[in-house]
Amino acid sequence: VTAASATHAPGPRARARRWAAGFGKRETWAAYAFLTPWILGFLFFTSGPMVASFVLSLTSYDILTPPEYVGLENYRTLLEDPKVRKSLENTLIFTVMLVPATMAVALAMAMILLRVGRAAGFFRTVFYLPQMTPPVAVGILFLLLFNGSTGLLNRALEAIGIPGPFWTTDPHWVKPGLVLMSVWSVGGTMVIYLAALKNVPRQLYEAAAMDGASAWRRFRDVTLPMISGALFFTFIVLTIAGLQSFTEAYTAFFGNQATQAYSSDAALFYVIYLFQQAFQFLHMGYASAMAWLLFLVIMVITLIQVKVSSRFVFYYGRR
Amino acid sequence: MSGGWKRIALVVTFTALLVTIFGGSRYDASASGETRDADTLSIMGFGTPDEIATVRVDRAKRAIAPAELQLIRGGFDQQQFLSSVAAGRPPDLIYMDRQLIGTFANRGAIVPLTTCIRSQKINMKQYRATAVKEVTFKGRVYGIPEFYTSRVVYINNTALASAKVKTSDVDGSNWNRLRRASVKLMRGSGSNLSRIGFDPKLPEFFPLWAKANGHEILSRDGRRARLNHPKAIEALTFAYSLIRQHGGWGGFKSFRDTHDFFGARNAFARNQLGASPLESWYLNVLAKNSPQVNITLVPFKNRKGQPINWATGNTWAIPKGADNQREACAWMKAMTRWEAWVAAARARVTTLKRNNEPFTGLYTGNKIADQRVLNRLYEKSGKKGFDNGVKTLVRVQKYSFTMPASPAGAEFQTAWRDAVNRVLSGQQSPAAALRQAQREAQAALNRATG
C-alpha cells in the first residue's frame, strides 16, 4: 500500500485573507464567542503568568522582599549549575526510555484488545484501570514493589533465577525502574491506539492477505501507516509529558523528610530541581529562568519531532 | 429559534461565563481554612499526638484566654508558611525545626523575641544554652526551644554477645576497632544481608562524624561552609566504608528499608542491627513497642575518646506580621515553662504505669524541667537497658554541640546531604562530592548574606 497525496497549501497572505473574510459570517462570531472562555483563560492563566515569569527570570526574588533586577545573571548561573546539567540529562534519558516503551506497550495492548472479541469491554476497563491510579500512589508503590530486597518485582525475578537490581538505590537502575512504573499507566495511550486501529479499513488487510502478505508485513505495511497519525500525536504528547515528569519521582524520592534525606541525584528530574529552587529555597527568579530554559528545550525538541516525523505520517483520505 | 433569541442566548451565556470566571476569583479565606480573627491564636506545624502535648496545651490555653486556639492542620510546611508571610496573612505562631531559624530570620520572615522575652519576663536561663544558641541569629533570640534531641549509640547486646564484640568497640572512639566490630556483627552481605553490623546513619549523621573527627562543617557565625576540609572528607570516607563492608549502599539501604522502625518487630527486636547512633526519642519508641529488647545506650565518642552529642530540636517562633503577638508570646512561655513539662510528664507516667511500660524520661530544651522530671517522677523500671539508657541520655547533654544558625540553613543542609548521597550511590568520591557541596553551599551562603 502506498500513500502519497500531494496538497497545494495556500500562502500566508491568502490564509490571512480567508481568515479575515470569515468574520463576515455570523457562525464565525458564534465560534469565537464559544472560544472566549478558553481565550480568556489562556490570556489570564497562561500567557499572563508566562510574561510575569519572564520578567521574574531577570530578577532576584524570594517572595518576601521586592524583586531586584539582576539582568541575565540567572541565565548565566544556569549554565554553570552542575545540577541543571544533571537534571536535564536525567530528564532526557528518562524521556528517551519512557516514550518508546509506553508506545510499544500501549500498541501491543491495543492490538490484543482488538482481538479479544466479546470480553473486549471488560479487558478495556481492566487495562485502563492503572491509569486511574494517582501518580502519588504510583510513586509510593514504586518504593514498595521495586525494593531491592523485598520488592515483588525482584522476588518474581528471583523465582526465575534472575538476581534483580537495586531499583531504588542504584543510580543506574533508578530511571529504568521509574520507566517501568510509568509504563504501568499506559491506559490513555492504549485507548487512542485502539480507536485508531478500529478505523483501519478491513479491505486493506484482505487485499494484503490475498497478495500473500504475512502477519508481520500486514502490521508493518498496513497497520503502522494507517495509525501513524495517532502514533505521531502520542509521540509528541508523551515526549512533552516525559520532559515535564515530576510527581512519581518526587513522591518516591523527595516527597517527605525521610525520602528527601536519601534522595538520589539519579532521580533529580528537571522540574523537581525547578520546584526545589522555587519553593524550598525561594529562588523565584532563578526558578523562572529554569522554566524558560525548559520551555525552550521542549519547543526545540517538538519542532524537530514535527519536522522529522511528518515525513512518516500518513492521513488516510487526505487530499 | 429566531435570530433575536439566538443573540440573547449568546449574550446571556457569554455574561454567565464572565461572571463565573471573574466572580469566582474573589478570595475566600474561610474556604481555605485560614479564618482568623483577633481573638484566635493560630499555630502552624504543631499537633497534639500525646499527653505531653495535650496537658501543656490545656495549660497554655488558659494563659491566652479569652483568645481561642486554632491549630492549622498538618506539619510545618515551609512553602505554605512563607507564602502566608508574603501575602501578609501569616499564622500567629509557628512550630518548626530549630535549624531553620537562621534562614527565616535572615529573610525577615520571623521576628526577634526581644520585646516578647522582656514583656512576658521569660527567663532564658532556664533553657539549655546549646538550644538557645541554635535559635539565636546575629545576637538576637528568634525562638523558644521545645524538645531537645540527643544522639547516642544504641547497642544490641544479643548481637554483640554472639559476635564477641565489646561495647567499647562500637562507641566510635577507635575507628579501626569499629570497622572490625562491624564486620563481626554483620550477617550476610549485599542482597542477602540479614543483619547490619554498625549503621553509621548516613547521610543524616554526617555532621556528627565530622565532629568526631575534630571538625565542624559550618563556621561558628554560620556564614562559611567548611565541607571540603580534609577532616570532613576523612570522616565521610570512613563512615561510608562501614556501609561498603556490607556489600554497598544498594543492599544496605534496601535491607534497612524493610525494618519496622516504629513497630514491635523493629531491628533490635528482630536482631537485624548490631549497633547504630540514633536519636534520644527512639528509646521511648523501643520502650513502648518492644520493652523486652536487650539494649545498651552509650555516648557517641570522638576519636580522642571523649563523648560528643549532636543536639537538635524544635522551636516556637513568631512570624512577621502576626496579628496576635502578645498571645503568641504568652503561649510560648506557658508551653515551655517547667511546671507545664512536669505536669505533662506526670500524665505520661500515669499512662505508662497503666500499660506496664517503662518511663524513659523527658528531654526538653528546659533544663529545670528535665531535672525536676527526673527527681520527682522518674523511677527505675527494672529493665537494665532502659534504666541505663536514661542515665546515658542525661549524661550526654553536657557534651552537646549544635549547628550554628545560618542564613542559608536549608540550602547548606541540602548541599551536604546530596553530597553524601552521591558518595553512597557511588556517583562521586567523598572528596569530589564534598568539593561540589562546598561550592553549592558557599554560593547559597553568599547569596543569602548579600
Side-chain angles (χ1 to χ4, degrees), chain A residues 36 63 83 261-262 280-282, chain B residues 82 86 107 203-204 418 421:
Chain A
T36 303
I63 295 186
K83 282 198 172 173
Y262 301 103
Q280 204 172 326
F281 307 140
L282 293 185
Chain B
L82 290 169
R107 288 191 166 132
E204 305 101 307
D418 286 356
N421 278 319

Side-chain angles (χ1 to χ4, degrees), chain B residues 211-232:
Chain B
K211 182 74 176 177
N213 204 24
H215 179 70
E216 288 182 4
I217 58 175
L218 185 62
S219 66
R220 287 192 181 163
D221 61 4
R223 288 161 174 257
R224 274 175 299 119
R226 304 175 68 217
L227 290 164
N228 61 346
H229 192 279
K231 280 186 178 279

Side-chain angles (χ1 to χ4, degrees), chain B residues 25 31 77 102 120 122 167 216 225 240 257 285-286 300 322 333 347 364 412:
Chain B
S25 67
D77 183 332
Q120 287 283 334
I122 299 177
T167 302
E216 288 182 4
Y240 174 49
D257 283 349
V285 174
L286 290 177
F300 190 92
K333 182 184 177 183
T364 76
F412 178 75

Side-chain angles (χ1 to χ4, degrees), chain B residues 112-437:
Chain B
L113 301 180
T114 320
T115 315
C116 160
I117 291 166
R118 199 174 46 235
S119 64
Q120 287 283 334
K121 296 188 178 65
I122 299 177
N123 174 18
M124 291 305 289
K125 286 189 179 151
Q126 68 186 309
Y127 304 115
R128 295 187 183 282
T130 40
V132 175
K133 192 177 143 197
E134 246 189 319
V135 293
T136 304
F137 184 70
K138 288 186 180 172
R140 293 201 282 185
V141 174
Y142 280 85
I144 299 292
E146 263 248 327
F147 286 100
Y148 193 79
T149 305
S150 298
R151 283 156 182 82
V152 297
V153 182
Y154 285 61
I155 295 169
N156 173 0
N157 294 333
T158 312
L160 255 71
S162 69
K164 296 187 173 56
V165 170
K166 287 185 288 184
T167 302
S168 57
D169 293 340
V170 291
D171 64 7
S173 56
N174 185 317
W175 285 5
N176 285 329
R177 272 209 324 256
L178 176 56
R179 194 184 279 126
R180 284 196 297 272
S182 181
V183 172
K184 282 187 192 171
L185 288 165
M186 183 178 103
R187 292 287 175 270
S189 179
S191 54
N192 297 318
L193 193 61
S194 61
R195 183 164 77 205
I196 291 171
F198 186 92
D199 181 356
K201 281 292 273 183
L202 289 180
E204 305 101 307
F205 287 11
F206 169 60
L208 184 65
W209 286 102
K211 182 74 176 177
N213 204 24
H215 179 70
E216 288 182 4
I217 58 175
L218 185 62
S219 66
R220 287 192 181 163
D221 61 4
R223 288 161 174 257
R224 274 175 299 119
R226 304 175 68 217
L227 290 164
N228 61 346
H229 192 279
K231 280 186 178 279
I233 296 168
E234 187 186 19
L236 180 54
T237 307
F238 171 72
Y240 174 49
S241 76
L242 295 174
I243 289 173
R244 268 212 321 231
Q245 290 175 333
H246 293 79
W249 177 239
F252 186 91
K253 172 79 168 31
S254 295
F255 177 62
R256 195 166 69 179
D257 283 349
T258 64
H259 292 177
D260 181 17
F261 194 72
F262 290 101
R265 291 164 60 78
N266 56 67
F268 289 101
R270 296 190 67 197
N271 205 16
Q272 292 174 319
L273 175 62
S276 173
L278 289 164
E279 290 91 345
S280 46
W281 48 258
Y282 196 58
L283 187 64
N284 192 32
V285 174
L286 290 177
K288 188 173 176 58
N289 297 320
S290 53
Q292 80 289 351
V293 292
N294 184 8
I295 52 163
T296 299
L297 269 63
V298 295
F300 190 92
K301 289 183 178 166
N302 63 18
R303 296 183 81 181
K304 289 177 182 167
Q306 294 157 337
I308 51 169
N309 173 35
W310 179 23
T312 56
N314 277 14
T315 184
W316 297 99
I318 301 179
K320 176 187 163 193
D323 287 335
N324 301 310
Q325 298 201 10
R326 198 190 62 79
E327 285 80 5
C329 193
W331 176 274
M332 292 191 290
K333 182 184 177 183
M335 286 293 281
T336 60
R337 61 193 306 168
W338 70 263
E339 293 92 336
W341 285 116
V342 170
R346 187 170 286 119
R348 170 162 286 180
V349 168
T350 309
T351 310
L352 292 175
K353 270 190 180 161
R354 204 167 40 233
N355 300 335
N356 201 23
E357 290 166 7
F359 174 56
T360 55
L362 194 59
Y363 308 99
T364 76
N366 188 322
K367 59 190 175 198
I368 298 170
D370 286 10
Q371 212 168 36
R372 301 214 169 169
V373 167
L374 273 175
N375 294 343
R376 294 180 184 183
L377 299 169
Y378 176 69
E379 286 173 14
K380 283 188 177 177
S381 65
K383 291 183 168 73
K384 200 176 150 196
F386 291 95
D387 294 342
N388 287 340
V390 172
K391 267 191 200 165
T392 302
L393 290 176
V394 172
R395 190 157 73 90
V396 295
Q397 287 173 347
K398 62 180 172 219
Y399 303 110
S400 298
F401 75 96
T402 55
M403 296 279 274
S406 166
E411 288 100 322
F412 178 75
Q413 192 186 38
T414 302
W416 66 253
R417 206 182 49 204
D418 286 356
V420 178
N421 278 319
R422 286 195 295 274
V423 173
L424 292 175
S425 58
Q427 291 169 286
Q428 279 181 329
S429 68
L434 289 175
R435 263 200 307 274
Q436 183 183 327

